[in-house]
Amino acid sequence: MDKLKMQTVNKADENFRKLAAMFPNAVTETIDENGEVVRAIDKDVLMQEISCKVVEGGVEERYQFTWPDKKKSVLLANAPINKTLRPCREESVDFDNTENLYIEGDNLEVLKLLQETYLGKIKMIYIDPPYNTGNDFVYEDDFAISMSEYLANSGQYDEVGNKLVQNTESNGRFHTDWLNMLYPRLKIVKNLLTEDGAIFISIDENEVNTLKNICDEIFGRSNFIAELIWAAGRKNDSKYISVSHEYILCYFRNSDYIKENKIVWREKKQGLDDIYSKYDSLRKQCGKDNEHIEKELKAWFKGLPDGHPAKDHAHYSRVDDNGIYFADNISWPGGGGPKYDILHPVTKKPVKIPSRGWLTNEKTMKQWIEQGRVAFGKDENAVPTLKSYLKDRELTVPYSVFYKDGRAASKRLATLLGDKVFENPKDEEIIERLIEFCGVSEGDYILDFFSGSATTAHATFLANVEQKMNRHFILVQLPEEISEKNATSEKSKKVARNAMTLCDDLGVKHTICEIGKERIRRAAKKIAEENPEAKFDGGFRVLKCDTSNMKNVYYNPAEYEPSLFTSLEDNIKEDRTPEDLLFQIMLDLGVLLSSKIEETTIAGKRVFNVEDNYLIACFDDNVTEEVITEIAKQKPYYFVMRDSSMAKDSVATNFEQIFAAYSPDTVRKVL
């Protein structure tokens, strides 16, 4: 039980914990008057977090992780944008029923749009960001700096302009570009995670240490879980050491929450499906002849090739009517266990008592014997054993090393899409394992904002079918053009040509997004064909990041002369649809973008009903009192319409009275 503290709360500790939870990047250390290292909050970092401008900090020495333009990247993460997400039904699959999202656009902009609606709602994030190879980044964010700018900002010129360093390409500029690209994105997504959520980030040896520094700062060092290793098979492209692995860094959102709620991660042991399949086959052949089944099962284990995952469980070779088991020790670990008589079921004589005593007390032992969980020898001279059934020990703590041939994932994707159209796709089976063991459960969301070949969507389908759950994915990908001119080798050019050919066959643009969406369609179809009894959401809504639906006058009316207002009576852009407006409103009101949407007609007007009256919206012109009255009778939580769409002044006059009469609690808003 908990012990009473019997003293007042240390408010300094409490305030420090609150600030550290909100701004882990501001947590640092300093030296006190006694020369001791003590905790501290970096006031300059804290000031930058609450400022809309770059804050010039002090020059005192401290322990910190920094680089040129770091403050700008913090500012970039916090700065607002006037953008929206527009639905694209024609490119979606099962738009009206699916809860999966595929979003096209710059992921920084998209994450900003999602940050309120999905605040604290994402259970797992997996990303495979571009590795830092010293090349230019597609994600430039307006401050990927030139060499001269980098040298000036980082102090590598003296006061008269002389260069202070050699080999400048390796002295930080490319690290700076990469850091400025990744930092603001990670800063935003931290708050998207649930309290028990986790993020997994793939990276290679070039930036694994830098990435860990970033994550320690953003998520907090105490939230670091592990550095997973993906051993992807041998590579023969090095003069010295064949680097045949990559890393996956893993962080919790809130390790204190994990500890307080005693949350653990477990995964199903590898190779069990093969064992169960063999056992079921032998049971059909041999009926209840358990001895023969045991003999055949042992022979099967022995014949498995080295490295087969089922071979690790070869000790599970005993069989009874309840399944497969192995003979486990029934004595007390370390000695000192209880000692009492147990009668042999055949000879009725007391069996030999183990020198360390029995594993449990006499009452529990009696229950185990009645349940058939104790295996006796031929007579009383043998010490009994405890039956440990495979079905009761299927789960294990996940290991930090994954052995998986990276070439297999490339071959599977090439087969699915008809040719090799991605050079190094991530392995969907690895990501499936992450989803399955890290506690992503029914109805949870998985986010991947560097979607690439859409491996995470494929992995989500596989995990849902395997565990009979309904998880949802949100993928974000920049519609980056596929072109031979971006390729750096003949092999890369061939892959690019294959991808462009596939796009031509599909009649779509040459972009990564089009390949990703097609991969999701084909993966869902293949999984459904291979698992005809399985029920899973194989669809996805396509949304595209675009400028706001509202004209500039909506945001800055003071900048327009009164004489211009007649030409700007409608504050909505001409090319935007009612459904475009609906999704921007959903973002503004924090309504999930996967919500069920029903379209109805009331008195000839088009009306959207989101999540069974949670939000009702109508954007048509000439809305009458009849329409307003029918909507009010449905008692929505939110009602939204255009300010200029009321049929006449009397409708506007009676608007509030109608809602006061039928649904006074409805939150009414106009555009």
Side-chain angles (χ1 to χ4, degrees), residues 589-592 595 609-616 634-639 666-667:
L589 298 180
V591 181
L592 298 181
S595 297
N609 188 321
V610 181
E611 284 297 323
D612 299 322
N613 296 339
Y614 183 74
L615 164 65
I616 293 181
Q634 296 182 50
K635 300 184 180 341
Y637 185 84
Y638 285 111
F639 171 62
T666 294
V667 180

Side-chain angles (χ1 to χ4, degrees), residues 209-222:
N209 294 327
T210 308
L211 178 61
K212 192 169 187 307
N213 284 331
I214 296 175
C215 292
D216 282 348
E217 183 169 301
I218 291 175
F219 296 97
R221 192 171 301 177
S222 63

Side-chain angles (χ1 to χ4, degrees), residues 116-348:
E116 294 300 325
T117 301
Y118 289 89
L119 180 69
K121 291 185 173 69
I122 305 298
K123 188 63 170 289
M124 170 185 162
I125 298 173
Y126 170 81
I127 58 170
D128 177 25
Y131 294 173
N132 188 7
T133 59
N135 297 323
D136 291 334
F137 290 105
V138 176
Y139 301 87
E140 292 189 347
D141 299 332
D142 297 327
F143 59 80
I145 59 179
S146 67
M147 179 60 72
S148 58
E149 290 173 319
Y150 173 75
L151 291 170
N153 290 349
S154 58
Q156 294 182 52
Y157 280 139
D158 63 19
E159 62 275 10
V160 294
N162 295 316
K163 196 181 296 182
L164 298 177
V165 294
Q166 295 179 338
N167 191 18
T168 51
E169 182 170 306
S170 64
N171 274 297
R173 174 202 168 198
F174 295 109
H175 289 285
T176 293
D177 283 352
W178 190 80
L179 286 163
N180 284 333
M181 179 276 297
L182 196 57
Y183 188 88
R185 290 162 172 82
L186 291 178
K187 191 168 179 2
I188 292 173
V189 299
K190 179 206 170 185
N191 294 322
L192 298 184
L193 285 169
T194 60
E195 288 296 317
D196 58 346
I199 183 169
F200 297 85
I201 309 174
S202 286
I203 197 69
D204 68 357
E205 70 276 8
N206 291 310
E207 292 288 5
V208 63
N209 294 327
T210 308
L211 178 61
K212 192 169 187 307
N213 284 331
I214 296 175
C215 292
D216 282 348
E217 183 169 301
I218 291 175
F219 296 97
R221 192 171 301 177
S222 63
N223 288 312
F224 173 68
I225 305 171
E227 185 178 88
L228 308 179
I229 307 296
W230 173 24
R234 293 182 60 83
K235 296 179 181 178
N236 298 313
D237 56 355
S238 175
K239 295 179 181 179
Y240 310 109
I241 297 292
S242 174
V243 179
S244 303
H245 66 276
E246 294 184 5
Y247 303 90
I248 303 176
L249 290 187
C250 180
Y251 281 77
F252 282 128
R253 162 69 190 275
N254 186 345
S255 59
D256 288 339
Y257 181 90
I258 298 292
K259 293 173 185 175
E260 290 169 8
N261 290 274
K262 297 179 172 61
I263 296 171
V264 296
W265 285 359
R266 295 291 183 267
E267 71 171 335
K268 190 175 180 181
K269 295 173 181 175
Q270 300 296 301
L272 299 192
D273 290 341
D274 289 334
I275 297 173
Y276 287 137
S277 178
K278 183 62 178 178
Y279 171 76
D280 291 340
S281 175
L282 290 172
R283 183 61 76 185
K284 289 178 182 178
Q285 294 175 20
C286 307
K288 292 189 176 183
D289 188 350
N290 291 331
E291 288 188 12
H292 188 67
I293 293 174
E294 283 185 6
K295 181 180 178 181
E296 292 295 323
L297 192 60
K298 288 177 181 177
W300 178 76
F301 274 123
K302 188 176 181 180
L304 290 175
D306 292 340
H308 193 290
K311 199 148 189 168
D312 292 338
H313 314 296
H315 54 292
Y316 284 98
S317 56
R318 302 288 299 276
V319 172
D320 68 10
D321 292 344
N322 292 319
I324 309 169
Y325 70 92
F326 81 91
D328 205 353
N329 198 321
I330 202 169
S331 64
W332 193 276
K339 295 185 178 182
Y340 48 83
D341 286 340
I342 297 176
L343 299 181
H344 191 279
V346 177
T347 68
K348 306 303 180 183

